């Protein structure tokens, strides 16, 4: 089935509430009447009572239309002999080819996603408020997606525009004579409601229909979205419990005669292995995965037949037991379009339900050894030409790859470089007098790659590459924190909401401490190990600390950082980063990757 026709667009408009737009009537118009008659099989045809429905899914694309560079664009797979290898993967030209090939011969095929398709995108998409990505997803024939936290980066009004089309309020129309037409697929946000009206911001669910087969999709984002998005982005919105919301709408769908249900959940887990083909049902169902999605999966109503998940950028295909103890498929396809999940749902025409015992699923690598999809190549060329004057400007030089996103270590070379740049930019007395800088690891979106990407020359860092590393354009803040608050913040990296999956801040030169992973909670960071330029941090003393506005607002589970006083707002994180590259590197004296010796890890 192709994407939803235009005439249904009105039924999916965002509701007024937070968006401040004209309220649209019935939230879910165009629900199906009784099942249409029809027969046929899946791939093999003629099964009679059951048909195989192919569900293709992905998540966390983040506007990566071009194949991601360096280690950000690689996945790990296990060879037959048990050793692992890294494989170059991703790029929408290849994703389109893989999906189109996968659909061939499948009479029943639906494509769904689990959020963060836009936001935190490389320059080619981010510069144009992700219109290029939405255009690519329309061409990919995406049928439905849930929202993720990054869909809220620019607020509800901008999300309304992404869904419904129209030119950007300040950017305008980017191509002469062309108006952005919006997403051909519905964005689902069942657990996002307007604080004023209590109504869902977007459609809570969508029913896919093809030749008498009906499958309902319920979309939710993580309840904790407000903790990881700027306050402006989630103004006027309320984020509800994922499980309660899914269970509520599963009942609604059931009452409407839709018995086959898939939940699209922008929340995820951490498999015990980074290998994309790891069996996370070993030794038992769902034993090889931990994190928030495991609790959600164990509580979501058995009426739901599968969960397509995201957010953690991990790859897994697990069967986590539902509340009745029966295994149920829970999948995630890494990030940046490097994988897609291929799931077979066997649909019973008589019960109108999925035969859960027959559900099969596997993650497939989006390898770059297939022909590129020509329509995606021309889309990329078109938008790249528009971005080129800004994107290709050199900002500085590096002597080797500086890994950020692609590093699995707690302390990342690129994290150190960014923190050093922030300290350098905000240390002068008139710029805030910062003594140290802290950077959130989730804000580092890529690696800095030595190899030339677009003819700029090896070692040259272009504006486009710098933007891809830090695409949020967060304003820098410098605040007063007491030594006690600073130590509390470092302990919040591994306790509170970050205990299960630590968020290790990247620190500027001169700040050192010990992270003892053999201990638990806040005790993992001993207060007396925290030093600035060799001197123990004094809990009673005040320090000037630089960080982006997201962290200064307590984002990512750091309430201690929101206690800062005497705030000075500086330049954007990207401007500070580019200024540092310009001041500290030349073609003959490029920047080397910084040593990672600030956080001593005890294991």
């Amino acid at each position: 089935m192709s994407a939803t026709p235009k005439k249904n667009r009105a039924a999916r408009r965002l509701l007024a509430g937070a968006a401040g737009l004209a309220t649209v009537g019935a939230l879910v118009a165009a629900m199906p009447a009784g099942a249409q008659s029809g027969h046929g099989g899946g791939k093999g045809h003629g099964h009679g009572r059951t048909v195989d429905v192919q569900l293709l899914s992905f998540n966390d694309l983040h506007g990566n239309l071009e194949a991601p560079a360096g280690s950000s664009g690689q996945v790990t797979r296990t060879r037959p002999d048990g050793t692992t290898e890294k494989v170059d993967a991703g790029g929408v030209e290849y994703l389109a080819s893989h999906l189109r090939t996968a659909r061939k011969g499948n009479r029943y095929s639906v494509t769904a996603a689990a959020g963060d398709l836009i936001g935190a995108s490389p320059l080619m998409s981010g510069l144009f408020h992700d219109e290029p990505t939405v255009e690519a997803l329309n061409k990919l024939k995406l049928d439905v997606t849930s929202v993720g936290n990054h869909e809220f980066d620019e607020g509800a009004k901008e999300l309304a525009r992404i869904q419904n089309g129209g030119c950007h309020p300040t950017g305008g129309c980017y191509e002469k004579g062309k108006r952005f037409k919006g997403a051909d697929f519905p964005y689902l946000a069942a657990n996002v409601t307007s604080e004023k009206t209590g109504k869902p911001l977007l459609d809570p669910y969508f029913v896919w229909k093809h030749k008498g087969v009906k499958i309902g999709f319920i979309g939710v984002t993580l309840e904790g979205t407000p903790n990881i998005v700027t306050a402006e982005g989630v103004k006027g919105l309320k984020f509800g419990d994922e499980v309660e919301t899914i269970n509520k709408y599963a009942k609604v769908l059931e009452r409407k005669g839709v018995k086959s249900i898939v939940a699209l959940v922008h929340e995820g887990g951490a498999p015990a292995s980074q290998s994309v083909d790891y069996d996370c049902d070993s030794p038992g169902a769902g034993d090889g995965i931990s994190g928030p999605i495991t609790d959600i999966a164990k509580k979501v109503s058995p009426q739901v037949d599968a969960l397509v998940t995201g957010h953690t950028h991990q790859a897994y295909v697990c069967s986590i037991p539902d509340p009745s103890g029966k295994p149920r498929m829970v999948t995630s396809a890494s990030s940046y379009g490097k994988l897609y999940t291929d799931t077979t749902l066997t649909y019973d025409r008589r019960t109108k339900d999925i035969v859960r015992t027959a559900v099969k699923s596997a993650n497939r690598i989006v390898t770059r050894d297939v022909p590129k999809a020509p329509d995606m190549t021309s889309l990329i060329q078109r938008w790249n030409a528009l971005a080129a004057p800004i994107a290709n400007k050199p900002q500085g030089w590096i002597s080797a790859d500086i890994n950020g996103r692609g590093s699995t270590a707690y302390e990342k070379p690129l994290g150190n470089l960014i923190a050093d740049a922030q300290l350098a930019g905000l240390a002068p007395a008139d710029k805030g007098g910062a003594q140290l800088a802290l950077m959130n690891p989730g804000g580092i979106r890529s690696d800095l790659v030595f190899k030339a990407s677009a003819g700029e020359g090896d070692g040259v860092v272009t504006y486009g590459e710098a933007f891809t590393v830090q695409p949020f354009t967060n304003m820098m803040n410098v605040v007063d924190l007491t030594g006690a608050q600073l130590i509390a913040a470092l302990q919040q990296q591994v306790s509170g909401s970050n205990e299960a999956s630590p968020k290790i801040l990247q620190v500027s030169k001169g700040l050192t401490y010990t992270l003892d992973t053999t201990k638990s909670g806040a005790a993992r960071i001993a207060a007396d190990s925290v030093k600035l330029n060799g001197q123990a941090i004094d809990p009673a003393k005040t320090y000037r600390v630089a960080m982006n506005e997201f962290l200064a607002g307590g984002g990512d589970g750091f309430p201690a950082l929101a206690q800062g006083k005497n705030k000075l707002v500086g330049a954007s994180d990207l401007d500070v980063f580019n200024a540092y590259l310009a001041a500290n590197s030349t073609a003959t004296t490029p920047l080397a990757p910084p040593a990672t010796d600030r956080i001593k890890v005890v294991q």
Side-chain angles (χ1 to χ4, degrees):
M1 174 179 161
S2 71
T4 314
K6 274 286 197 227
K7 63 180 174 8
N8 284 349
R9 172 87 35 82
R12 293 202 310 267
R13 286 229 175 97
L14 275 95
L15 283 171
L21 301 164
T23 303
V24 173
L27 227 169
V28 187
M31 286 311 298
Q36 305 126 11
S37 62
H39 49 256
K43 210 159 182 171
H45 307 301
H47 286 306
R49 183 171 162 175
T50 63
V51 294
D52 280 350
V53 178
Q54 177 190 54
L55 169 62
L56 301 175
S57 58
F58 56 93
N59 51 278
D60 297 277
L61 180 66
H62 290 289
N64 279 263
L65 301 183
E66 294 179 284
S71 55
S72 301
Q74 291 180 324
V75 294
T76 303
R77 72 172 164 208
T78 307
R79 297 189 188 95
D81 66 359
T83 57
T84 59
E85 63 177 334
K86 287 197 183 298
V87 183
D88 289 336
V92 79
E93 295 160 295
Y94 305 110
L95 179 62
S97 294
H98 279 278
L99 290 178
R100 288 163 184 170
T101 303
R103 287 176 190 140
K104 279 184 186 138
N106 284 284
R107 287 173 55 197
Y108 299 84
S109 182
V110 57
T111 304
D116 276 10
L117 302 182
I118 59 171
S121 307
L123 187 79
M124 192 195 84
S125 187
L127 195 60
F128 306 107
H129 297 275
D130 282 313
E131 288 180 24
T133 297
V134 175
E135 187 188 330
L137 292 167
N138 288 343
K139 287 181 191 290
L140 272 184
K141 297 274 189 277
L142 180 63
D143 289 299
V144 59
T145 184
S146 68
V147 292
N149 50 293
H150 283 282
E151 265 77 19
F152 293 94
D153 282 351
E154 294 188 48
K157 265 190 183 164
E158 173 63 1
L159 183 51
R161 188 185 77 88
I162 289 292
Q163 179 73 83
N164 300 318
C167 296
H168 191 269
T170 55
C173 292
Y174 297 112
E175 292 179 289
K176 211 175 173 184
K178 275 192 190 174
R179 189 174 174 277
F180 174 58
K181 69 186 187 58
D184 288 342
F185 48 90
Y187 259 115
L188 304 181
N191 66 332
V192 186
T193 52
S194 156
E195 280 178 353
K196 272 193 197 138
T197 66
K199 287 184 175 156
L201 178 71
L202 292 163
D203 284 2
Y205 59 85
F206 164 78
V207 179
W208 178 82
K209 294 172 289 189
H210 189 59
K211 295 182 178 166
V213 170
K214 290 189 293 187
I215 297 177
F217 290 88
I218 301 166
V220 297
T221 184
L222 70 154
E223 187 183 3
T225 292
N227 308 326
I228 52 174
V229 173
T230 57
E232 199 51 40
V234 292
K235 212 171 169 178
L237 301 178
K238 196 171 168 222
F239 291 77
D241 180 84
E242 304 94 340
V243 174
E244 280 172 30
T245 307
I246 295 167
N247 291 352
K248 171 182 161 181
Y249 286 106
K251 284 197 188 104
V252 172
L253 285 168
E254 193 98 352
R255 283 202 297 274
K256 292 183 179 286
V258 180
K259 298 197 175 8
S260 297
I261 303 171
V262 175
L264 306 173
V265 187
H266 190 72
E267 178 60 292
S273 160
Q274 292 290 309
S275 189
V276 299
D277 39 19
Y278 165 67
D279 175 11
C280 73
D281 288 336
S282 170
D287 283 347
I289 185 168
S290 58
I293 201 64
T294 55
D295 295 337
I296 292 171
K298 284 172 186 165
K299 291 175 191 161
V300 162
S301 160
Q303 290 169 293
V304 175
D305 298 296
L307 282 78
V308 172
T309 75
H311 188 56
T312 56
H313 291 204
Q314 302 295 312
Y316 48 83
V317 172
C318 306
S319 47
I320 299 171
D322 71 12
S324 72
K326 293 196 177 81
R328 171 172 52 196
M329 202 56 85
V330 179
T331 68
S332 174
S334 182
S335 65
Y336 297 178
K338 293 182 285 192
L339 302 180
Y340 69 93
T341 312
D342 187 346
T343 302
T344 303
L345 301 171
T346 301
Y347 181 92
D348 185 322
R349 287 185 175 280
R350 195 179 304 164
T351 64
K352 298 182 190 169
D353 207 349
I354 302 296
V355 184
R356 284 251 299 265
T357 50
V359 175
K360 289 191 288 292
S361 196
N363 272 328
R364 314 269 185 223
I365 299 176
V366 176
T367 56
R368 300 181 195 165
D369 56 2
V370 298
K372 293 178 178 184
D375 58 337
M376 294 299 176
T377 304
S378 64
L379 179 149
I380 287 170
Q381 285 169 345
R382 215 178 79 234
W383 287 104
N384 258 340
L386 284 174
I390 293 173
N392 297 339
K393 276 192 184 145
Q395 303 297 313
W397 288 264
I398 55 173
S399 64
D401 287 359
I402 304 181
N403 282 356
R405 196 80 196 177
S407 163
T408 53
Y410 286 136
E411 184 184 349
K412 305 169 194 309
L414 187 50
N416 286 358
L417 178 63
I418 291 169
D420 288 350
Q422 293 179 351
L423 176 59
L426 298 154
D430 61 334
K431 297 281 193 287
Q435 293 162 274
L436 65 134
L438 303 172
M439 172 66 190
N440 54 312
I444 307 167
R445 306 307 298 186
S446 181
D447 298 338
L448 277 185
V449 179
F450 177 76
K451 197 171 179 302
S453 60
E456 77 277 14
D458 287 351
V460 178
V461 180
T462 63
Y463 185 87
E465 288 167 334
F467 182 97
T468 298
V469 167
Q470 293 206 93
F472 298 108
T473 326
N474 270 313
M475 301 316 285
M476 289 304 301
N477 289 183
V478 186
V479 297
D480 281 351
L481 286 177
T482 64
Q485 288 166 335
L486 178 59
I487 290 165
L490 293 176
Q491 291 177 333
Q492 283 162 2
Q493 299 177 112
V494 288
S495 62
S497 61
N498 293 329
E499 178 148 14
S501 51
K503 286 199 175 83
I504 303 301
L505 297 167
Q506 306 297 289
V507 299
S508 55
K509 206 181 176 102
L511 188 71
T512 55
Y513 67 89
T514 300
L515 169 63
D516 188 344
T517 60
T518 65
K519 298 198 164 95
S520 65
R524 291 177 195 162
I525 289 164
D528 59 5
S529 76
V530 186
K531 294 185 174 136
L532 182 60
N533 303 322
Q535 297 287 309
I537 290 285
D538 180 346
K541 207 174 147 197
T542 298
Y543 297 86
R544 293 291 282 164
V545 185
M547 63 191 98
N548 61 43
E549 61 191 333
F550 169 66
L551 270 183
D556 265 353
F558 291 100
L561 296 180
Q563 296 169 349
K565 302 254 187 334
N566 298 325
K567 180 165 79 174
L568 183 134
V569 178
S572 77
D573 52 6
L574 181 61
D575 287 348
V576 165
F577 185 56
N578 283 332
Y580 186 81
L581 290 172
N584 292 281
S585 68
T586 63
T588 50
T589 56
L591 267 176
T596 49
D597 54 4
R598 301 169 191 183
I599 304 170
K600 184 184 169 190
V601 181
V602 178
Q603 278 169 322

